[in-house]
Structure formats: C-alpha cells, structure tokens
Amino acid sequence: MTSSLPGPGDRPVLVVDFGAQYAQLIARRVREARVYSEIVPHTWTAQRLLALDPGAIILSGGPASVFEPGAPRLDPELLASGVPVLGICYGFQAMAHALGAPVDRAALGEYGSTMVQLVAPNAVLDDAVSGLPLSAGFTARPAGEAEAPRAGLLAGSPDHQTVWMSHGVAVTGPPDGFTVLATSPGAPVAAFEDRQRRLYGVQWHPEVRHTPLGQATLENFLFNQAGLRPDWTPGSIVAAQVAAVRAQAGPHRVICGLSGGVDSAVAAALVQRAIGERLTCVFVDHGLLREGEREQVERDFVAVTGARLIVHDARQRFLEALAGVSEPEAKRKIIGREFIRAFEVAARQAARGVVSNDGDAVLAGDADPESGPPGGEVGPAGRPGPAGRPGPAGDVKFLVQGTLYPDVVESGGGSGAATIKSHHNVGGLPDDLSFELIEPLRTLFKDEVRAVGTELGLPDAMVWRQPFPGPGLAIRIVGEVTADRLETIRRADGIVREELSRAGLDRQIWQCPVVLLADVRSVGVQGDERTYGHPVVLRPVTSDDAMTADFSRLDYDLLARIAGRITGEVRQVNRVVLDVTSKPPGTIEWE
C-alpha cells in the first residue's frame, strides 16, 4: 500500500483496505467530493493510522468473514480515538464485531441491487431479528411518542432506497449505544450509527454507481459528520505540489523524460512552474509515435510552459534494432533497451547543456556514435537555440517521473524510494542512473491529472490525449516493424483520431487503437483493379480504470466515414474491421 503522501487541505481521509476490489474506488469518490484521501493497509496498527492525524477513516469491504480464523481484525483503540469512522460492507461488520455486536452468516445472502428500508428514528429493535423479512424486526415507536426527524448519516434519505449489496454475512444486532438506521431482507442491521462517538456503518457499497444515493451518503459523512472541507481542488493541488517540488529540488537542476503523454506533460509543467529554467525536458523520438506528436510537444508544450526541451532523434537506431523482429515480447524488450541507451545519451547532453544569450538551450554535442545524429534543443519559442554561454552550474540531480497514485498503491510502494518501471513515462531506466526521483503526480488519479493539466494551461489536445503504449506503434503492427508500415498505421491512426474529434467523442471514448495486420493480405477492389492490401482493425473502447473495458458503440455513419477515408487515403489498406471484444477476455492492445 502506501504511506502518507503530501496533500493540500484538511487532514487526510484514510481508506483502510481490507482486500476490497473497490478500495481505490472509495478513495476516488472521496476525492470527487474534493477531500484528500489515501489508501492504507489493514495491517497498520491503530497507532500508525492515528499518527497520520486523519480527518476521518473509512473501512473498506473485503472477501473475509469476521468470525473466520485469520480474518482481518479492527483494533478497538481506533474506534475509541474520537476520529470519525465509516465502515463499509466488511468494514461495517468488522466495526460491529470489534464492539461486541453479533455477526453471523446471513439467512439470505444479498448480491447486487437490493432495496433497503430506513428505520424510523425512534423505532425499537426486537430481541430476535435474524432471518426476519424486511423491517419485521422493528416495532413501532412507543405510544404517544412523536416521530423524530431523521438526522445523522442518512439524513435526507427516502424511506426506501436501492443499494448495491455483496454479502453472505450480516450484522444481526447493533453494538451498545448504536442506533439502527436501515434494514434489508438479508441484513437485519444494514446501517447504524453512534453520533456521540462519531462511528457509522453501512452494509452496502455507497462508492459504486449502482447505489444512486451513495455519493450523497459519503458526502454527508465527510462534511456533516466529520466536519471536513471540500478544498482538494486543482488549484490547491498545483500550489501544494509546486511548493513540494521547490523544497525537494533546492538549487539543483532537474531532467524530465517527456513522452508527449498527459502524465509526463503535466508532471513537467508542474516542475517547470516550480523551478523554471533549472528543468530540462528530454523527448526521445524513436519513430514509433503517432502523427503530429513530436510537433505537438515541440510547439504546444514549449509554448505553454516555456520549458527547455531537448529533442533526441533516434528513429534510425530503433528501426535498425527492430528489423526482422515480429514477436511482440521481443519488440518490447528491444524498444526498452534502445530507449535506455538513447535516454542516457540525451541525459548526458542535458547535464552538459548550454544556454544561449536569448535564453534558448541547445545540445552540448555529446553525441553517441551509435545513437545516430543528435536532435536539437528547443527554446521557449520552439526554435533551435544557438550555442552560447554556459548553463546553470552543477550536475543534474533529479529525474521527474509521472508516477500516478494507482502505480503507488498497486506496487505496494510509498514508504521508500520508488522503483522506476518500464511502464512509466520515461521508459525502463536502469537502476544505476544517478538521479533522485521527483514525482509530483504520485498523489493523483488520472482524472485529477487531467484537471491539473487544464489548471496549468496545457491544451486540451495534450490533456485529453488518448492513452498510448510505451512501445508505441510497434505493438500495433502485427508483424515486422518497417518504415513503410509505420507510415501506413500512422496515417490510418491519424484519420481515426481526426474523425473522432470532429464527432466530439474525445472525452467519451477512452481510446481507439488502430492495429495493422501487416502479415495478412486481404483481397479487394480499388480503382477497378484487384488489390491485395492490408486490413486494419479499429478498437474503440470505454473504461474507467483500464482494468476492464467495453467496446464503444460508434455510430454507423461515423464508422463508414472512417473506413472510406482510410481505404481512400491509405493505399496500402483495403479493408477496415471493427473489434467488438470486451476486456476481459480481450486486452486493449493486440500485442
């Protein structure tokens, strides 16, 4: 999991992960309420959790049963700390169990959409309720007693609401001092609270969209019960991270491997705002990019940020290394190896760069004879900079990397030095690179990164750029990678992106890989002649988290327009097909 990460605003909301598939989703929903959250493991002691001075704690769901040997336990000290706590699903059961309430196998398991009934504020729970039908375990309020207004966690909720359940174990009675808030056919106690101790729980999953009022419940807990403020905003994130980068970098110089993707672009823009000309960005053009991407980095990114940019041209080197290679994993390993070498050359050049009299930066001429001709460095105006006076003194000490919060959580990192991994923006860099890492996005989810990019003034074309694999178009060519095949898929991909943008779908379709079946020949007729061209595959998908995806239901007229343009403008292609496979079973990429 992760240790405490710096964030603006109130004390963090800690999401204690009991092994739930939705732990990240809970943290995202808290962030959507503009409150900073972190995910921490259930193995942390109460003392360690409380040492982070949390504003609130949320206990996630999980697959275990509280009465089974070895099941995760909840330290009662945490519940006695005075910090507001919300238990969800297993977290709800763990809270009840820790406080001495009965938890047992449910008479009726509930999975999926379920109707719950809210209990009248002053209703009385009968002695035996396990296995009874909805609300049968509650008697009417005492005679002559007026009905109290509903308050607390479910204030403002209707008497019945649809929720998403996933449990075969149920809380059959509340802990001492708790008020029962809701019941369902399979959960005699489906929600409870003790407002004096600021403890709350629900059996259902408020974080999923299938619980329509779930976000309202979470925000009620955060704002009305825990007293937190909605100040986790793009502006506050930028201010906090700029200050953190300045403190970490000190007077030293910094290098950033810029890929053209949103993560590296936003990370570089944040660091640029923090330290200005002491940042040098390195863009390695390996020739596997999509149409216009190098130009976009040289023109748009530099124009907006004023960053010093080295463009290292390694296209020929990569083509030669990939010649004759068709096996996907072999392609990936070759690209990773060559990227390391190209980046090392460019990093040495950046460390020995010079600044011209008008502030533009240039390469220092430290070309590796194996790397091909060096690129040129671009200044704030996007023009080549002439040689001039020496740049800032001192070696480059830090490397900027666009690590995101899911990377931190899924790798189990956060407490020590981060490991540079091959799927990150700068590629698979070796362990002996003598840089310390600056990771200004490591507290952020992808949607937050895009919001920060917009806050920093990056153009929409860069902020909303479709995800693109590190090995680039090489793994979207099924077969050997050649210069001609790269131009074919590059133009076809460019047409698809143009048409999707023209249709206003940039923010609706997560990505649309275009795959060239380079080793397949398809018979066709073009210009009254029989042809044997290549098929291309369109793979439009929608996804929230990249773990699962569904194919996008594109309009037939749009598909016809795309197919007509590709077969008319890309002469090597005579057939366009559509991939309608979900993930799983299919992956996003074909290789």
Side-chain angles (χ1 to χ4, degrees):
M1 294 301 152
T2 174
S3 64
S4 181
L5 302 174
D10 286 297
R11 297 138 61 201
V13 172
L14 301 182
V15 178
V16 180
D17 183 5
F18 283 107
Q21 59 178 321
Y22 295 135
Q24 283 195 43
L25 186 56
I26 296 171
R28 286 175 61 90
R29 296 294 180 248
V30 174
R31 300 276 188 97
E32 287 176 9
R34 296 190 171 185
V35 176
Y36 178 65
S37 63
E38 301 177 19
I39 301 171
V40 295
H42 68 83
T43 53
W44 281 16
T45 63
Q47 292 88 344
R48 187 171 182 182
L49 291 169
L50 296 174
L52 299 180
D53 190 27
I57 294 172
I58 298 178
L59 311 175
S60 86
S65 297
V66 294
F67 52 80
E68 294 179 350
R73 300 297 180 188
L74 184 63
D75 188 342
E77 180 184 341
L78 192 66
L79 304 178
S81 67
V83 175
V85 179
L86 171 65
I88 294 174
C89 195
Y90 180 84
F92 167 68
Q93 298 166 7
M95 179 188 294
H97 186 71
L99 294 172
V103 182
D104 208 339
R105 294 194 181 278
L108 175 66
E110 294 172 315
Y111 302 94
S113 185
T114 304
M115 181 67 70
V116 298
Q117 178 175 319
L118 271 63
V119 177
N122 47 2
V124 179
L125 181 67
D126 287 342
D127 290 336
V129 296
S130 180
L132 294 179
L134 183 68
S135 75
F138 295 90
T139 64
R141 60 184 179 273
E145 183 175 327
E147 182 175 354
R150 184 172 290 128
L153 183 66
L154 300 182
S157 295
D159 290 340
H160 295 81
Q161 62 175 280
T162 301
V163 301
W164 189 261
M165 291 281 202
S166 181
H167 72 99
V169 173
V171 178
T172 57
D176 290 342
F178 276 69
T179 300
V180 177
L181 301 178
T183 182
S184 75
V189 180
F192 59 37
E193 69 181 8
D194 183 337
R195 276 183 276 161
Q196 184 174 355
R197 287 188 283 176
R198 307 175 84 186
L199 303 178
Y200 309 83
V202 294
Q203 179 60 70
W204 61 84
H205 288 274
E207 72 274 17
V208 302
R209 298 302 189 195
H210 301 290
T211 300
L213 298 178
Q215 187 68 14
T217 300
L218 287 173
E219 291 183 7
N220 191 350
F221 169 70
L222 296 170
F223 302 139
N224 299 326
Q225 313 309 315
L228 301 179
R229 296 172 298 173
D231 55 8
W232 174 254
T233 64
S236 67
I237 294 169
V238 169
Q241 295 305 323
V242 164
V245 169
R246 285 175 180 162
Q248 183 181 359
H252 301 287
R253 296 169 63 197
V254 177
I255 190 173
C256 176
L258 194 64
S259 70
V262 61
D263 299 341
S264 67
V266 173
L270 268 171
V271 175
Q272 168 69 16
R273 179 165 293 191
I275 65 173
E277 67 175 12
R278 286 186 287 118
L279 171 69
T280 299
C281 296
V282 174
F283 180 78
V284 176
D285 184 354
H286 46 42
L288 309 175
L289 303 168
R290 293 182 293 190
E291 193 172 71
E293 290 190 314
R294 172 171 173 169
E295 293 77 14
Q296 183 184 69
V297 171
E298 290 178 316
R299 180 189 65 245
D300 296 340
F301 178 79
V302 173
V304 169
T305 64
R308 304 169 68 225
L309 174 66
I310 291 175
V311 179
H312 186 75
D313 192 335
R315 290 175 291 182
Q316 190 59 38
R317 176 177 192 154
F318 276 79
L319 271 177
E320 291 173 358
L322 289 167
V325 179
S326 297
E327 203 277 320
E329 191 58 28
K331 290 181 189 177
R332 292 177 182 270
K333 290 180 179 178
I334 289 170
I335 292 166
R337 182 193 70 212
E338 295 303 319
F339 189 93
I340 290 170
R341 293 175 180 173
F343 188 85
E344 286 176 327
V345 172
R348 289 198 302 270
Q349 293 167 336
R352 298 172 60 184
V354 296
V355 178
S356 70
N357 292 330
D358 64 358
D360 289 345
V362 296
L363 286 176
D366 186 25
D368 181 337
E370 296 183 2
S371 69
E377 188 163 333
V378 177
R383 58 187 183 280
R389 58 183 173 80
D395 293 332
V396 175
K397 183 177 180 179
F398 294 96
L399 171 67
V400 178
Q401 180 161 296
T403 307
L404 302 189
Y405 193 51
D407 299 328
V408 176
V409 174
E410 290 166 8
S411 66
S415 60
T419 300
I420 304 174
K421 296 186 177 181
S422 60
H423 65 271
H424 290 167
N425 291 310
V426 294
L429 302 180
D431 294 334
D432 58 359
L433 277 181
S434 56
F435 297 121
E436 295 179 31
L437 289 182
I438 290 178
E439 298 176 299
L441 308 182
R442 78 186 264 110
T443 62
L444 306 182
F445 289 102
K446 190 76 170 189
D447 55 334
E448 295 171 322
V449 172
R450 296 190 193 278
V452 168
T454 299
E455 179 76 15
L456 291 166
L458 295 178
D460 280 357
M462 184 168 286
V463 170
W464 291 96
R465 175 186 185 265
Q466 289 186 13
F468 192 53
L473 295 176
I475 60 167
R476 292 184 176 175
I477 296 174
V478 179
E480 181 186 1
V481 178
T482 68
D484 288 343
R485 290 174 173 182
L486 282 168
E487 287 307 310
T488 296
I489 190 172
R490 188 174 288 121
R491 182 77 281 266
D493 177 88
I495 290 170
V496 172
R497 288 189 292 139
E498 288 171 14
E499 291 297 336
L500 293 178
S501 294
R502 186 174 290 120
L505 298 176
D506 284 341
R507 301 193 186 189
Q508 296 180 35
I509 294 178
W510 181 53
Q511 61 174 303
C512 184
V514 178
V515 181
L516 175 64
L517 304 183
D519 288 343
V520 175
R521 291 284 182 175
S522 171
V523 66
V525 177
Q526 291 172 292
D528 295 326
E529 295 180 358
R530 182 180 293 269
T531 62
Y532 289 92
H534 299 290
V536 296
V537 181
L538 309 184
R539 178 81 166 112
V541 292
T542 58
S543 177
D544 290 328
D545 54 15
M547 300 300 294
T548 61
D550 193 13
F551 75 92
S552 300
R553 275 65 166 175
L554 296 183
D555 177 78
Y556 285 167
D557 290 337
L558 173 60
L559 288 170
R561 188 160 58 250
I562 289 172
R565 283 196 61 190
I566 290 176
T567 55
E569 299 176 31
V570 187
R571 297 298 297 175
Q572 298 86 348
V573 176
N574 66 357
R575 194 176 297 270
V576 178
V577 300
L578 181 66
D579 183 346
V580 295
T581 313
S582 63
K583 177 187 178 183
T587 57
I588 302 301
E589 303 292 342
W590 275 46
E591 291 195 345

